[in-house]
Structure formats: structure tokens, C-alpha cells
Amino acid sequence: MPRRRTSSSSSSTGSSTGSPTTPRNRTPQAVRIRRRSFGDFVKAFFAFVALLVLVVGVPGALAMSVGWPLPNGVPELEWLQKPITTGTFLNILTVIVWLAWAQFTACVLVEIKAAVSGIGVPGRVPGSGPSQLLARQLVAALLLVGATAASLTPGLSQLGHDMEGNQRGTVAAAQQTPGGGLFAQQQEQAASTAAALAEQAAGAAAHADAAGSAAKADDTKYYRIQPPEGRHHDSLWEIAERHLGDGRRYKEIFDLNKDRVQPDGSKLSEASLIRPGWIMEMPGDARGGDLVEMPEAGGSAAQQQLHDYGKAGGDQAGGGGGHAQGGGQQGGATQVSVPEQRPAPDQRTGGHQQHATAGTSAASDAFGLPQALVGAPLLAAGLLGALGRRRRQALWQSAFGAVGGRRGMEPPTPTGDAADAQDALLVGADPEGVRLLDRSLRGLAASLAAESRPLPTVYATWLSNNGDLHLQLAQPSGNPPAPWQLGQDQTFWMLARTDAERYEDVDAAAPYPGLVSLGTMDDSRLLLNLESVPGIVSLSGREADRAAVFASVAAELATNGWSDRMTITLVGFGEDLTPLAPNRLRHLEGIDDLVETMEAETRQRRGALGAAGHDSVLTGRTGPARHTRWAPHLVLLAAEPSADDAMKLAELAADASRLGIGYLVGTESGDLPGAAWEMEITGEGKLLAPLLGLELDAQLLPVPLQRAVVELFVESDPEREPQGPATAPPFLVDISEQGRPAVYARLVGPYEIIGLDTPDGDRSALLHEALALLLLHREGVHPRVLSSALWPRGVTDDVREALLDRLRAWLGTDPDGTPRLKTDATGRLTLAKTVVSDLDVLRSLYHEATQGRGVDSRAVRGRLLTDALVLVRGPLLADRPEGRYRWLTHEIIDAQLPLLVADIGLALSEFHLVKDRAEKAIEALGAALNSAPGDERLWHELLRATHATGDTDRLQALAADLIARSGARGLPPRTEALLDELLPTWRNGVAAVG
């Protein structure tokens, strides 16, 4: 990237907005030329002498002093048996020197060709690192003062119009490398090439000006993309910042150059790639000494030069060395670039992510759902999955605590902001995307392990708009295992969505658990691998904006579905976030505690890696201990550390990427020691990283939304003490004769609807599914939640409204004219009380038997429990078609219904055993086991009821059946203890069978 220069104070008088085909009237500006110093001539002289000695002198001296070192004829077998003399030894050394000379000469030729061609970075001669470095330095020093070198490359001022007239090209925003330099070889290579090319362009422009090439007043300014200079790469952001005063105006350069054919014959195609030597037309108000004018004269000569330019740059274009975006890690240099994306035939085919982000802002605002969760599909999926697990855990823990009337059978119904947050999670979540990401990464790890290849270091992952997965590697790692393939260059591995869908679950550790979403750019979602960054990632901006980013990162890391184990340390914030994942999240009050903790852990990890013989945690994750060791530790420090603390953190982070430790640190000033990547969050929700070439729509979790999400988790905490009496079902049915419903749906077992005509056509299944969702949520369903459940890959508003109209018409109205599908004050869809399901009746019967009239009347309780058990005809929606009702994975009804049936069976068994009706009790327990075969409580009661019959053989047969069902895991400890009490000889029977 060219060095920063102070922009010229002169301003253009032309309009900046004119038609792109209309010439602009501006006065040409002189090109700044670096004057050659005496030192340059001295360096050039010594470089010339050195090249002359090494290229010409060495072979001449060898020829005169030693002569031809090889035998003149084919050696015979006796020659091999002769003793090695001094002459033989000298001949061998001479051959080696000749080979070294040939290699160096090849390096000199390669460097001269690359320097005078004016494009890209020279190709590498195999096995000649030091030799090529020396050749590069000598050639660069010589060509910097050579007039012929500048004349060999066409300058911008000599070029005419485009080869294709006013055809424009897509400019890709080149990404720049923050922090750390390249390997010395590549650093010198890039620096010398950049200097040579800059001098060539300046010389050509000066020559054209001296020859009297008068530019017209309406000439357009152009900029030529420069080769890498040190660790810097030219980027549109930097160009816009330097010549337009604002890096965000890089998009104007992009638009001006769309579809332009470049001098090397290629076209600009993506917003992430530019190549050295490409010509960029600049906006009308561009200024600065790097810009030149392109006169109209000389069009034919210029086209020939363009042709020659393309031939010179063709080899570079294919090798990846001429790309300004780089993409590797060389001696600690890091960089993120946007991958090329294949066009999607349908914008909705990219998965639920598109439904959650594209075109939903207005609808979301209209229905009051927080867009921060609706537009964060991976975060929403993680939170929703963790919330479901938390509620199931609470349900099961409560189930084994007492029988009947306990808290937990019905989780609390969220209200207010918590209800909106839950709906936003249901709308925004993309569990299928998380599943594909997890399987793809684990499948890659398994394939590499099978080939005895290490895991490559991955800086970032991009999920494109069509569902493809791009891994950006720190450095080229060869060809990926199938079905992965190389992406736009050697530092990208790409997996198409169709290939990802073929992956099955594999027994492999999560290779990159530190990936976390930062936001979207060009419809692609960026996941940064925090543990791979060679240093600290700093985040500047207002405190509230930084807090929203930190909370989003912490929440996703704590609940994501592509990690096994990790530790996330929150410092200076996030104490209230720990309920999201108490096993992963921990909170520290101050930086002193953090430094002490991380110093100890850094020492421990270094020692563990050394003892295991691994160079990094990535090699350890594919080893035998992959499930118990090498989990990442990610530190999120929201408050800016002091200068001393910042230096301590920088020292700890210097080796952190190898140890699996990542640091994200907030800063007010934006200047943090040891920061490898610097980012800024703006008040408009943009996450900027100019040196990385990124401008993302940031993924945020603002404070009010944090509280709402945490409330959902706190209310579902299994360890939380019950607040008041047991939760009643959300909808109680009038179970008397007068409460006969108008519409009755049977959900427990095969799906049937009584009281409605079956809709005609293909929409019948969709209407049935919509009704089932409403019946399972009597508290109300948000319209966006309904459409997200029925069309997980996205739907337009008009299609959703058409479905609701058909659903209203199908359900009809009650005799008093009230519609059976209504909208409540919050905008949620609710069903009338006259629309009932058998699940509603089942819950109402059990509630009435255990907490209503059945409490005071034994006869009523027995009748209600018997009626309830008769309603159980199988699992929920037993005959649902393949591919539909996927929203049930978000529900806990699949755990609630078996527990409810087991509770009914247990209560009815107790009812009969009190009167010594063991057979009746066994019958009730058997019916309950048909729907809840895995409930240990039912088997225990069945053993007791069978023991009450006094039939030892029957009890022995039941014990044998239990043992057979338990398989290799064996009987649970409590079951064994019960058998020891009821049938002490049961172990003898097992031994006899064995």
C-alpha cells in the first residue's frame, strides 16, 4: 500500500455526480516524483558490481580455476570403487557451487522480469529463499535508479480510454493486514516491488509531461492499485480515506468501476479483491498526489500496452501472489477478507438466515419484535437451544421430586419484554444452519485426522447468502479433503451447502469452538475465531455500544452449538449473563484477578503442550485426549485497562493463539498495546475495522434485550425455588357435559379434527400444521412465529396474510358471530375457547383430579384419572408427515407429554393399590408405559404392584425384562436397590441366564 501522503489543497471545480459517461472537466495535477539521492546511486553501483560478480564472475572463475568437474565419459563400475581423493572432493564442491550459481541466476531473472513487468509479486524459485531474497534486494536497488525500468511499464498518464469504452468493473474492497510483519523474505519482496513499481509509474508520468502531452480540461482522475508494501496491502478503504477524506466512501469507487475490464484482462467481480496494477476511476472530488489524468490521445498505443500489461500480469493473477487481499499468516500477520460468493438462484435458498435478515426490518418493527435477535440466526439458535435444555432439565428434576401438583410441569409463560424476546428467538433461530456448521467443521476435523494432517489455523468463517461455508486460513494448507474445495485462493477452503447437507454426525472434537458472529457484510455472516488471533482484539466506541457487542459475543459463545467445552471469563461486565450458561461463563470483578488467573493458566497450558509434544492446541484436539483437554479460554474485558495492565495483557496474549486463549478488550481511545486487530463500533450499529477492510452490520445485544433474555433463563432455572403453588395449565377446559367444544382436535396419537370439514387441495396440510401450533400455545402465537414455523426458509408478508385469511375462514365463527381465530392486544393470534384439543382435556382432567374436585373425592379422582388415561393413544402427532412440524424441536411438549402420562399412570396406580387392586394398578402402569417407556418411576411402581400380587415367577420375569431393556448400561442404581428389596434372588437369575 502506498505510504500516506498529505492530500493536495486544491479542489476540483467539476461536479462529483455527473453521468459516468460524461467527461469531467478538471485541471491535471502534477505527479509527485521522488528524487533520487546520492545514496541511491551508491546502492545501485554496488548492486551492479555484486550482480556482475555473482552472475558473470563466479562461472568465469570456476571455468578458469577448476574447469569441467564432471567425467568426460560414462563412468565404469570400477570408478565407484576408487578411493576419494582431494581432486574428487573438489569436483563435488564445484558441482555444488555451479548448482548454487544456476539457482541464483534463475532468481535474478525472475526478479528482473517481475520488476519490469510492473504487476504482482515475483514468483518463488523452489528452495531458494535466501538466494531469492539477495537477488531481489540487488535487482531492486539497481532498478530504482535505472531510467529503462520506468520506461518498460506504461504509466497511467500514457493510457487512453478503457478497452471496452465506458464499461465498469466491480471493485472489491481489499483487506489490509493489521499487526505483525510478514516473513522477512516476503516483507523485503513486497517492499522492493512496491518501491520499484511506484518509481516506474512516476517516471512514466513525468516523461509524458515533459514530452508535452497536454491533458484536456475534462480528463478523469485515476488511481493505480499498488503492490503490497511490507505488511500493508492497498485497499479501497485506504484509497478513499486518502483521496476522498472518508474511508466509507470506498463504495463510490466500487460503483464507478463496476464491470470494468482491467489491464490484465480480468474483471472486478467481488467487493473483497483487488490486484496490484488494476486501474481505478476516482470520484470527481478526489485529490492527492497519487492520482493522475488519462488523456484521450494515444488510444491505439495504449490498448497495445494494455495487452502487454495483461500478458505480464497473467501469471501473477493465477498464483494468488498478486492479490491485494493476501490472506495468510506470515510471521504473525493477520487479515480477514470477504470470500467470493456464488450467485444464489433464489435469495431464500440460503437457509433460515435469509428469512431472519433480508427484508424483515419493517415487518419486525410493525410487530414489535427486537430485530437484534431476529437478525442474529446463530445467536438465536444457541439461546433457544440452551433455553429448551434448561426447561427440560427443570421439568425432569421436578418430575423426580414429587408426584402430582408440583412446579415445573408447566413452565412459566413469559410476558412483556421476555415474551417478545422469546418470539424473536423463535423467528430468528436457524438451528439447521448451526447443525450444518457443526457437522461440517467436525467432519473436516475427522477427515484431516484420517489423513494424519493437522488442523489448519482458521482466522474467520464466512456463511454466504446461499448457505456456502468459507474458511479463511491463516496460511495456505494444501488442498482440503473432499467434499471441501479450494476457494478464491489458497487461503480459502469452501464447502457448498449441498455437500454440507450430506455430512453425518462423527466422533470428532469441535475443531474451532472459538468462532463467534460479529455481523454481516455483503449478505455474508462473519464469524471470527477469537482463539486464533495472534494477540489482542480491541474494540473501541461508546461504552453502551461496546457493551452490546460484548454481550452478544458472550451470549453466543456460551450457548453456541459448534463447541464442546470452553471457558468464557467476563471482566468488568456480564455478571447478570452467567445464568445463560453457568458451566461456561464466569465473572471476575477486576483486571488484577484476571492477570493473576491468566498468568497461571498460560504457564499451565505451555507446560501441558510441551509435555504432550504439541505445537498448538489444534494438534492436541485431534489426539486421544481431544474431549477432555485443549478447550479454549476466551477473555472478554469490557473496561479499558491501565497502561501497566495493558502491557501485561499484551505479554500474555503474545503466545495466546497457540495456547487456545483469546482476548477481546474494550478501549476508549482505540490505541491498545498488543492489539493485533482493531475494531470500532459506531452509534449506527456498524462494526468497522479499516485495517481489515471490514464494515459490518454489527450483531448486538442491547441492555434491555439482555435483561429479557436472562429473565427467560432465570425463570426456567431448575435450582430456583418454587414461587407459590404449582403452575396450572395455560388453558383449562370445561370437562362437564355443558363444555362440549365446537372444534375438537386429537393431537395425542394420530392427528384428527372433529367439527371442521377437511380443506381441499394441497393447502390442507399447512392449515392443519398451523392449527396444531396454535393449539399447543393457548397463550397466543405471534404471526411472525407462526410463519417462521411453517416456512423456516422465509416467506413474504402477503403469503403469510393469505394463510391467516384461509385459516380464519376454515375455523369459522361461533354461533354468536365471534371469530374462532382472534388477535389479542399484543398482536398475537389466539384461539377461541370453543376450539379444544385432547391435550387440553388431558391436562384439565389431571389438574382437576390432583388439585380440584378430585382432592376431596376419591371416586371423582379415580374417574378423572381413568378418563385421562383413555385419551392417550400414542405419541404427539404420531402420523405427522416427513419434513413438517420441525418447529416441535423448539418445544418441550415432547418431554412434557410423557411425564404427564407417567404422572397419570402413577396416580391411578396409587389409587388402585390403596384398595389392594394390584391387577388394576398393573393395567394402568402398562398403559402409561406405552407412551412413556423410559420413565424409571413407572417401572418401579410396576415392580411394587407385581410384588403385591405375590407371584414370584411373574416378578422374576419382569426383572429379566428390565435387565434385557437396560442393555450394556445395566440397571440404574435405584432400580437395583429396589430389586434387592423385593426380589433378593434376582441376581442369581441373571447369573443363570448368563
Side-chain angles (χ1 to χ4, degrees):
M1 182 186 68
R3 299 178 180 87
R4 294 181 180 271
R5 298 178 174 88
T6 303
S7 300
S8 173
S9 60
S10 62
S11 60
S12 172
T13 59
S15 174
S16 62
T17 62
S19 171
T21 60
T22 304
R24 302 186 177 96
N25 297 321
R26 290 193 298 271
T27 302
Q29 293 182 344
V31 178
R32 298 184 182 181
I33 302 176
R34 186 178 69 86
R35 300 298 179 183
R36 302 181 183 89
S37 64
F38 176 74
D40 291 334
F41 286 97
V42 173
K43 291 179 182 178
F45 173 75
F46 283 111
F48 175 75
V49 172
L51 285 173
L52 189 65
V53 171
L54 293 174
V55 176
V56 180
V58 169
L62 289 175
M64 294 179 60
S65 61
V66 181
W68 184 252
L70 300 177
N72 294 324
V74 179
E76 298 178 353
L77 182 61
E78 291 77 8
W79 180 80
L80 297 175
Q81 298 175 353
K82 293 181 180 180
I84 298 177
T85 63
T86 303
T88 304
F89 184 72
L90 290 176
N91 286 337
I92 293 174
L93 290 179
T94 303
V95 171
I96 295 175
V97 174
W98 273 107
L99 292 176
W101 170 83
Q103 184 187 59
F104 177 78
T105 303
C107 294
V108 172
L109 295 176
V110 167
E111 294 297 326
I112 292 176
K113 176 183 180 297
V116 300
S117 67
I119 199 164
V121 181
R124 298 186 61 183
V125 178
S128 59
S131 297
Q132 190 165 5
L133 175 59
L134 176 60
R136 180 177 308 117
Q137 292 171 336
L138 294 175
V139 171
L142 181 61
L143 293 183
L144 276 176
V145 296
T148 57
S151 65
L152 291 176
T153 302
L156 291 180
S157 61
Q158 295 174 332
L159 298 180
H161 286 310
D162 306 324
M163 295 178 65
E164 301 292 338
N166 287 316
Q167 193 174 7
R168 304 274 193 274
T170 304
V171 175
Q175 315 308 324
Q176 187 163 312
T177 307
L182 303 173
F183 282 137
Q185 174 181 348
Q186 293 194 353
Q187 186 175 10
E188 293 295 334
Q189 172 181 341
S192 60
T193 305
L197 291 175
E199 185 69 19
Q200 293 163 17
H207 177 73
D209 183 70
S213 299
K216 297 182 181 180
D218 58 359
D219 285 337
T220 301
K221 292 181 181 179
Y222 289 84
Y223 177 84
R224 181 183 181 193
I225 303 301
Q226 298 297 312
E229 181 177 358
R231 65 184 179 90
H232 297 294
H233 295 262
D234 223 348
S235 71
L236 292 186
W237 181 288
E238 292 288 338
I239 296 169
E241 188 176 63
R242 189 164 59 250
H243 297 293
L244 301 176
D246 186 355
R248 302 181 197 180
R249 294 185 61 188
Y250 78 90
K251 294 181 179 179
E252 298 179 31
I253 308 176
F254 170 85
D255 294 334
L256 281 175
N257 293 273
K258 192 173 183 180
D259 296 331
R260 179 187 298 279
V261 177
Q262 290 299 317
D264 61 0
S266 61
K267 288 186 179 182
L268 299 162
S269 59
E270 291 295 334
S272 60
L273 297 174
I274 56 177
R275 296 177 182 172
W278 280 4
I279 311 303
M280 300 290 108
E281 181 180 349
M282 300 295 290
D285 58 342
R287 61 178 61 89
D290 295 344
L291 303 178
V292 296
E293 303 289 348
M294 295 180 68
E296 296 182 6
S300 59
Q303 290 188 12
Q304 180 61 40
Q305 291 172 334
L306 288 172
H307 175 71
D308 296 337
Y309 194 95
K311 291 176 59 179
D315 295 338
Q316 298 294 339
H323 288 268
Q325 93 285 359
Q329 176 190 22
Q330 309 293 347
T334 62
Q335 169 184 330
V336 171
S337 56
V338 182
E340 292 181 355
Q341 300 175 21
R342 302 182 303 180
D346 184 351
Q347 289 300 318
R348 301 187 183 279
T349 60
H352 191 72
Q353 172 182 341
Q354 292 306 304
H355 170 58
T357 57
T360 59
S361 179
S364 177
D365 294 341
F367 286 108
L369 293 186
Q371 182 66 20
L373 289 177
V374 172
L378 303 184
L379 170 61
L383 289 171
L384 193 60
L387 182 60
R389 290 190 296 272
R390 177 71 58 86
R391 286 174 172 173
R392 284 180 173 84
Q393 183 182 359
L395 189 65
W396 293 329
Q397 186 167 323
S398 179
F400 285 94
V403 177
R406 61 178 183 273
R407 123 185 134 81
M409 178 57 71
E410 302 296 339
T413 301
T415 58
D417 292 341
D420 290 339
Q422 179 173 276
D423 287 341
L425 293 178
L426 291 167
V427 171
D430 183 15
E432 179 66 11
V434 171
R435 184 183 67 86
L436 290 178
L437 176 62
D438 183 43
R439 286 187 173 182
S440 300
L441 295 177
R442 293 179 193 267
L444 174 63
S447 298
L448 290 172
E451 298 176 7
S452 298
R453 295 173 60 185
L455 287 169
T457 300
V458 170
Y459 280 151
T461 295
W462 291 91
L463 290 175
S464 67
N465 57 356
N466 57 0
D468 294 345
L469 176 63
H470 303 258
L471 298 184
Q472 184 169 354
L473 312 184
Q475 57 190 358
S477 299
N479 291 324
W484 291 77
Q485 54 188 300
L486 286 176
Q488 60 205 51
D489 59 33
Q490 293 288 331
T491 61
F492 275 94
W493 285 2
M494 192 272 287
L495 181 68
R497 182 184 179 93
T498 53
D499 293 327
E501 290 172 345
R502 300 190 186 102
Y503 265 117
E504 301 290 340
D505 292 327
V506 295
D507 182 23
Y512 305 112
L515 288 169
V516 64
S517 302
L518 292 184
T520 57
M521 178 179 179
D522 296 335
D523 294 328
S524 290
R525 184 165 300 277
L526 171 66
L527 286 83
L528 177 66
N529 191 5
L530 277 179
E531 66 168 335
S532 73
V533 179
I536 294 174
V537 179
S538 69
L539 178 67
S540 61
R542 296 186 309 178
E543 183 177 359
D545 298 326
R546 295 202 319 265
V549 174
F550 273 95
S552 172
V553 170
E556 184 169 300
L557 288 173
T559 61
N560 71 48
W562 53 87
S563 303
D564 292 327
R565 298 170 55 250
M566 70 168 61
T567 300
I568 306 151
T569 298
L570 312 179
V571 185
F573 85 106
E575 184 175 8
D576 54 342
L577 293 175
T578 53
L580 299 181
N583 295 330
R584 285 191 181 184
L585 289 170
R586 69 175 179 180
H587 176 262
L588 297 179
E589 290 294 339
I591 299 179
D592 292 339
D593 296 335
L594 172 66
V595 171
E596 180 180 356
T597 300
M598 298 315 298
E599 284 178 344
E601 181 160 350
T602 300
R603 289 194 301 269
Q604 180 183 3
R605 291 200 173 211
R606 283 175 179 161
L609 281 177
H614 298 311
D615 58 349
S616 74
V617 296
L618 289 180
T619 55
R621 281 182 190 153
T622 57
R626 63 182 183 269
H627 293 296
T628 57
R629 303 171 69 181
W630 321 122
H633 185 167
L634 305 175
V635 176
L636 308 181
L637 174 59
E640 182 172 15
S642 64
D644 292 340
D645 290 332
M647 292 304 300
K648 293 178 182 178
L649 289 176
E651 293 175 1
L652 291 172
D655 196 29
S657 61
R658 188 176 69 89
L659 306 176
I661 303 175
Y663 294 87
L664 177 62
V665 180
T667 172
E668 293 285 349
S669 62
D671 185 14
L672 191 68
W677 291 359
E678 297 177 350
M679 300 185 298
E680 176 190 359
I681 179 65
T682 69
E684 295 76 28
K686 295 290 185 180
L687 190 65
L688 307 179
L691 294 180
L692 297 171
L694 296 178
E695 182 180 353
L696 303 172
D697 293 323
Q699 180 170 294
L700 307 172
L701 194 62
V703 172
L705 199 52
Q706 294 176 38
R707 294 173 180 154
V709 170
V710 170
E711 180 182 341
L712 293 173
F713 280 79
V714 171
E715 290 293 329
S716 303
D717 188 359
E719 305 299 329
R720 189 165 183 254
E721 292 296 327
Q723 303 294 321
T727 306
F731 178 66
L732 290 175
V733 178
D734 183 359
I735 56 176
S736 66
E737 285 296 329
Q738 291 74 24
R740 186 178 298 274
V743 177
Y744 183 66
R746 305 179 74 181
L747 304 179
V748 185
Y751 191 3
E752 299 177 16
I753 297 180
I754 302 171
L756 291 177
D757 296 331
T758 302
D760 297 330
D762 297 333
R763 296 191 179 99
S764 176
L766 201 62
L767 291 172
H768 278 73
E769 185 174 357
L771 180 57
L773 178 61
L774 292 167
L775 286 167
L776 292 177
H777 290 277
R778 302 305 302 235
E779 72 278 9
V781 177
H782 198 287
R784 290 289 306 282
V785 174
L786 179 65
S787 62
S788 175
L790 299 180
W791 294 283
R793 306 189 75 169
V795 68
T796 57
D797 293 347
D798 57 337
V799 175
R800 179 182 63 230
E801 292 303 323
L803 170 76
L804 293 179
D805 291 340
R806 283 191 293 270
L807 187 59
R808 291 188 182 96
W810 181 44
L811 292 174
T813 60
D814 285 332
D816 60 356
T818 304
R820 291 170 180 158
L821 179 61
K822 298 177 290 186
T823 302
D824 65 11
T826 65
R828 290 172 172 80
L829 302 169
T830 60
L831 292 173
K833 293 184 177 180
T834 55
V835 182
V836 174
S837 73
D838 56 354
L839 184 60
D840 296 327
V841 177
L842 188 67
R843 287 168 166 165
S844 299
L845 288 171
Y846 178 69
H847 178 77
E848 189 68 18
T850 56
Q851 300 181 49
R853 292 180 295 130
V855 174
D856 300 323
S857 173
R858 171 180 167 80
V860 171
R861 182 166 69 255
R863 177 173 57 81
L864 293 174
L865 292 173
T866 302
D867 290 345
L869 201 55
V870 170
L871 291 176
V872 180
R873 301 175 299 123
L876 187 75
L877 298 169
D879 58 351
R880 58 180 179 265
E882 183 71 22
R884 303 207 69 90
Y885 297 88
R886 292 183 177 178
W887 46 269
L888 283 172
T889 58
H890 300 318
E891 308 283 345
I892 64 168
I893 185 62
D894 59 339
Q896 283 179 304
L897 181 58
L899 288 175
L900 177 60
V901 173
D903 286 346
I904 294 171
L906 291 170
L908 190 56
S909 171
E910 181 185 17
F911 173 82
H912 289 303
L913 285 176
V914 170
K915 295 296 184 178
D916 295 327
R917 296 195 291 264
E919 292 298 337
K920 288 286 187 180
I922 292 173
E923 181 181 350
L925 293 168
L929 280 168
N930 289 333
S931 294
D935 198 308
E936 188 181 2
R937 299 170 302 157
L938 290 175
W939 289 104
H940 290 176
E941 289 305 307
L942 184 59
L943 286 171
R944 293 188 180 97
T946 305
H947 179 265
T949 63
D951 190 341
T952 304
D953 293 338
R954 188 175 179 183
L955 184 60
Q956 184 70 52
L958 179 59
D961 185 28
L962 267 175
I963 295 169
R965 290 173 180 268
S966 63
R969 294 177 299 175
L971 293 174
R974 289 184 295 185
T975 304
E976 286 189 356
L978 181 60
L979 279 174
D980 287 337
E981 173 67 23
L982 301 179
L983 187 64
T985 60
W986 72 275
R987 298 180 187 274
N988 298 333
V990 173
V993 173

